[in-house]
Amino acid sequence: MVLVHQPVPSFVQLAAHPLRWQLLAALSGGDYRVREMVTLVGQPQNLISYHLRLLRDGGLVRATRSSFDGRDSYYHLDLDCCAEMLTGAAAALHPALGLNPASSRFDSQAPASVLFVCTGNSARSVMAEALLRQRTNGGVEAHSAGTRPKSVMHPNVVRVLREEFGIDISGQDPRHLDTLADHRFDTVVTLCDKAREVCPDFGDDARWIHWSIPDPSAPGGTDADTYPAFQATAAEIDTRIRYLLPILTAET
């Protein structure tokens, strides 16, 4: 008999703690502030902050400064990192074990309606609407709107969707959230912190998700200067859309 001296994979070390697992589970449904996680898991703030720091150090969780209140931060679960670390943990146990990456297919036959909300409806929410529609081949009724919509789409949004994803939204204009007040949605996703605070109620049946994603348009920057930020934002939103699909399938 050969003694086994194999280190415990880092994902197992991080996720095995009951409170850290609860935090990961909470963040799998959207982005939250510390005080909100205190309510969600029923533990004191200092303990929550301590374990969030361990999850951040381990690469599973990221934090972004709130664009609504710069003194606050939103925490986000890095699902790609989780998938990679889970795959490594499975392979460490046995090389034949493996995990399938998150599915990019939408297989549900039941209709689903999703609304994406940001402030101007000229960048983030528009990207999310277009990318969800593309990934589901129109199988999801996707909409986007703004709490204070801009007059026109940001040119970098039109460019990045066309060049990176082959999507043409050149004929689309921003719309106000009020135009959808009577519409029923299965899922409402806010993509900016300001919009989250003022988004109206769309009913108890709607699933609410928040993605804290900074505005890629920097004040004073030219379109050429800010285009890399739009590329990064579109890539992040596409990743989040990919992980949203199984939730939509399960709910419908």
Side-chain angles (χ1 to χ4, degrees):
M1 182 180 294
V2 179
L3 293 176
V4 177
H5 295 287
Q6 185 179 23
V8 177
S10 56
F11 180 86
V12 176
Q13 294 183 46
L14 287 167
H17 189 281
L19 178 53
R20 290 199 290 272
W21 180 257
Q22 290 181 55
L23 293 173
L24 292 173
L27 291 171
S28 70
D31 301 359
Y32 291 103
R33 294 167 288 195
V34 170
R35 64 177 179 271
E36 293 168 333
M37 284 183 276
V38 168
T39 302
L40 286 171
V41 304
Q43 294 293 334
Q45 181 169 326
N46 61 337
L47 193 60
I48 297 290
S49 297
Y50 169 73
H51 286 286
L52 281 173
R53 180 177 60 80
L54 296 179
L55 292 172
R56 288 182 64 184
D57 292 345
L60 295 179
V61 168
R62 294 187 283 114
T64 58
R65 189 68 65 182
S66 170
S67 59
F68 178 74
D69 181 354
R71 299 168 298 178
D72 217 341
S73 294
Y74 279 93
Y75 287 83
H76 164 60
L77 180 62
D78 190 330
L79 287 165
D80 270 347
C81 182
C82 287
E84 182 179 344
M85 293 178 70
L86 272 169
T87 301
L93 184 61
H94 191 284
L97 295 177
L99 300 173
N100 294 324
S103 173
S104 61
R105 297 176 58 196
F106 183 78
D107 297 322
S108 177
Q109 298 302 309
S113 182
V114 180
L115 171 65
F116 296 99
V117 182
C118 68
T119 301
N121 191 223
S122 64
R124 292 160 289 183
S125 58
V126 175
M127 292 183 198
E129 175 191 1
L131 292 169
L132 177 60
R133 188 175 291 120
Q134 182 186 65
R135 281 199 170 272
T136 61
N137 293 317
V140 169
E141 183 187 341
H143 298 271
S144 69
T147 57
R148 297 180 62 186
K150 299 289 181 66
S151 57
V152 295
M153 292 295 174
H154 196 291
N156 278 343
V157 172
V158 178
R159 177 185 171 190
V160 76
L161 288 175
R162 182 183 66 248
E163 294 185 357
E164 304 292 335
F165 300 95
I167 302 173
D168 181 12
I169 64 160
S170 56
Q172 187 171 332
D173 294 318
R175 77 159 93 187
H176 199 287
L177 193 58
D178 289 349
T179 63
L180 298 171
D182 296 329
H183 200 97
R184 178 191 173 277
F185 295 100
D186 300 303
T187 303
V188 177
V189 183
T190 49
L191 290 92
C192 82
D193 305 330
K194 292 180 181 179
R196 186 197 190 208
E197 301 299 325
V198 298
C199 187
D201 189 355
F202 280 90
D204 295 336
D205 293 335
R207 176 189 179 97
W208 287 81
I209 298 173
H210 180 57
W211 297 345
S212 181
I213 300 177
D215 186 351
S217 56
T222 66
D223 291 348
D225 292 337
T226 60
Y227 186 67
F230 278 81
Q231 288 177 300
T233 298
E236 178 178 354
I237 290 174
D238 190 49
T239 296
R240 294 201 188 220
I241 292 291
R242 182 160 47 90
Y243 284 103
L244 178 66
L245 296 185
I247 296 175
L248 299 180
T249 301
E251 290 189 345
T252 57

